[in-house]
Amino acid sequence: MNKYVLKCYKTRTGYYVYDRFSNAVFKVNEEDFNKFLKLENGTDHTDPEFLSKYQSEGAFVCNGVEEIEHPQSPYVQYYLSNKLSHLSLQVTQQCNLRCKYCAYSGLYYNRTHNSKFMTWDTAKKAIDFYMERTSEMERLHMSFYGGEPLLNFKLIKDCVEYISDHVEAKHLTFSMTTNATLLTEEIRHFLYKYDFQLSISLDGDKESHDKNRTFANGTGSFDTVIRNIKSLVAEHPDYAKKVTFLPVISPNTDLNRVLKFFSSEPFISECAVTYNTMTETGLKNEIHYSKDYMLIRRFEYLKLLFHLLGKIDEKSISPMVLPVKEEFKKMITALHDHSSIKKCSHHGGPCMPGAKRLFVSYDGTFYPCEKVSETNPDNSIGNISQGFDQQKVKNMINVGRVTKEECINCWNLRFCSICIGRINNPRRDEHHTKTEKLKVCAHEKANTINILYEISVLQELGINL
């Protein structure tokens, strides 16, 4: 175990050290920086006088962590009995599209599309199970998932009417992500009536969209999607402005075309757009994005940095990179907290499985969310007949134990955000799980050090973040 856990980095004009114990960054001179480098590498613990000026500020005291355990571990049973927040029903595993990058396309270690549908009996039991465990929640949320959920619209309608009739004195909301090919007039009015938080999968203009999002017969779906969106805009214009569009950026995407489409299309440009790259967890083979994509994304990121410098208005920043701004804010808030690390700690990432979101598959099996592979039984946290498997919930929330020794000594413990959904383990093997988790660790560390670097550079330029 390293006595001191820290991370050294430097910019063109400054030397910095992040101290995990106090969760703070110190700007130091070059001489001290070189001494800290030795401490980081575990080669020098012999100069207490050098550290005393920092230790007087409550920093660089010692490692501080002796055990890896999630702070919510003792409250698993309480949360699962009283504080369920979000119920997500997988109303079908069927889809009328065959998107080339889909999680169920065969590219991933996961199930593939099939003709399985959730029954009303399973849905009703799931809703009853959920409502019985929401006693301390003022807000309830229910979402519908597929496949393409609108293939089972009758069930969605029955579920919404049933829970609406049985929930009292609580704020109830609904959401759904759809490919929008089945947005009939009846469905559009239903979504409007219950104020669904509607997300539509749309990859850009016709050429960009139809490259990947085709019907089962191979024809593109763009014309159908746009026609239905325009009908929604005509019938319920104010509601349509609240729709979120979800383009997926794949290796064959022309990013310039996509960005131009979402910024200029009249009935879409006012809506929120959330850009996503292909999920890499669980992929059978690696994917590689083009140099053009990387160049455009770096250019958009550069514009974001100029915005943070006060040189560019936020309206000029692509929604593709705006989430990074929130990452900056989150990290800055944490660095200003200066709270000492606890002896018993755990990295971020894991939510309370089942409590934050209870994902119920078509057959009544429970999962922590839709992001985990359904082909691995270890990812299940129970079922509609037997309830929660609390031991599995505890294991998932304590995924840091898989890499216990590494986490105890990791400088990025406080900023790490790895959950079970980001670990690819098709072999159901503990050693393999550790190997896969450490791969994600490397990405997490690179992301954190990049943000720390950018924050430091911006502050050197006089920006008070």
Side-chain angles (χ1 to χ4, degrees), residues 406-425:
E406 290 81 359
C407 287
I408 284 178
N409 292 290
C410 181
W411 65 268
N412 194 39
L413 183 65
R414 292 199 180 210
F415 295 114
C416 180
S417 60
I418 300 175
C419 68
I420 197 70
R422 294 182 61 193
I423 303 173
N424 173 32
N425 183 20

Side-chain angles (χ1 to χ4, degrees), residues 383-441:
N383 57 65
I384 201 66
S385 301
Q386 299 174 320
F388 287 114
D389 184 329
Q390 293 192 22
Q391 187 55 53
K392 281 192 172 181
V393 172
K394 289 180 180 178
N395 290 343
M396 285 188 184
I397 202 173
N398 285 288
V399 67
R401 291 176 177 170
V402 174
T403 52
K404 177 180 177 179
E405 294 303 318
E406 290 81 359
C407 287
I408 284 178
N409 292 290
C410 181
W411 65 268
N412 194 39
L413 183 65
R414 292 199 180 210
F415 295 114
C416 180
S417 60
I418 300 175
C419 68
I420 197 70
R422 294 182 61 193
I423 303 173
N424 173 32
N425 183 20
R427 303 180 196 174
R428 300 180 61 197
D429 173 81
E430 185 173 342
H431 174 74
H432 187 67
T433 301
K434 181 174 182 177
T435 301
E436 292 298 325
K437 184 169 187 281
L438 289 175
K439 290 179 182 178
V440 185
C441 286

Side-chain angles (χ1 to χ4, degrees), residues 182-400:
L182 302 174
L183 280 180
T184 63
E185 182 179 358
E186 177 190 5
I187 293 174
R188 294 192 297 267
H189 179 70
F190 174 82
L191 298 175
Y192 165 74
K193 177 182 177 180
Y194 286 96
D195 198 25
F196 263 66
Q197 298 169 23
L198 184 63
S199 297
I200 293 178
S201 300
L202 178 66
D203 284 355
D205 65 305
K206 180 177 175 63
E207 179 180 330
S208 301
H209 183 89
D210 286 348
K211 275 184 181 180
N212 295 305
R213 301 189 62 79
T214 64
F215 288 103
N217 63 8
T219 60
S221 59
F222 178 83
D223 292 339
T224 303
V225 173
I226 291 298
R227 182 174 63 249
N228 291 338
I229 293 172
K230 287 182 176 180
S231 296
L232 180 66
V233 172
E235 295 162 357
H236 309 291
D238 290 336
Y239 173 71
K241 291 178 182 179
K242 297 189 289 184
V243 170
T244 296
F245 290 96
L246 305 175
V248 174
I249 308 301
S250 68
N252 66 1
T253 297
D254 183 335
L255 190 53
N256 264 330
R257 292 181 66 99
V258 174
L259 295 176
K260 182 179 179 181
F261 173 83
F262 282 107
S263 64
S264 61
E265 195 65 31
F267 55 92
I268 289 176
S269 58
E270 294 183 57
C271 298
V273 181
T274 300
Y275 292 87
N276 300 282
T277 53
M278 285 179 62
T279 300
E280 297 191 33
T281 302
L283 266 172
K284 294 177 181 178
N285 299 296
E286 290 186 9
I287 57 173
H288 300 281
Y289 286 88
S290 68
K291 291 182 179 178
D292 286 344
Y293 164 79
M294 299 305 298
L295 183 63
I296 294 168
R297 192 169 190 313
R298 287 169 183 166
F299 176 66
E300 295 298 333
Y301 184 75
L302 180 62
K303 285 166 59 181
L304 172 66
L305 295 179
F306 273 101
H307 162 63
L308 293 174
L309 285 168
K311 303 297 183 181
I312 296 179
D313 189 87
E314 187 172 300
K315 293 180 181 179
S316 303
I317 307 304
S318 169
M320 181 175 62
V321 295
L322 271 178
V324 179
K325 183 177 180 180
E326 296 306 313
E327 290 187 54
F328 275 49
K329 290 180 179 178
K330 183 178 179 181
M331 181 171 287
I332 290 166
T333 299
L335 292 172
H336 287 166
D337 183 41
H338 293 183
S339 59
S340 300
I341 199 165
K342 295 179 173 58
K343 291 183 178 180
C344 184
S345 298
H346 195 283
H347 61 67
C351 61
M352 180 69 75
K356 183 174 182 179
R357 174 174 297 194
L358 173 58
F359 179 75
V360 184
S361 71
Y362 80 98
D363 62 356
T365 304
F366 294 168
Y367 295 94
C369 68
E370 72 283 356
K371 295 180 181 179
V372 302
S373 172
E374 297 166 51
T375 61
N376 186 344
D378 288 347
N379 288 335
S380 165
I381 55 172
N383 57 65
I384 201 66
S385 301
Q386 299 174 320
F388 287 114
D389 184 329
Q390 293 192 22
Q391 187 55 53
K392 281 192 172 181
V393 172
K394 289 180 180 178
N395 290 343
M396 285 188 184
I397 202 173
N398 285 288
V399 67

Side-chain angles (χ1 to χ4, degrees), residues 433-453:
T433 301
K434 181 174 182 177
T435 301
E436 292 298 325
K437 184 169 187 281
L438 289 175
K439 290 179 182 178
V440 185
C441 286
H443 177 271
E444 285 288 294
K445 291 175 183 177
N447 184 62
T448 299
I449 201 65
N450 180 68
I451 295 177
L452 285 172
Y453 177 89

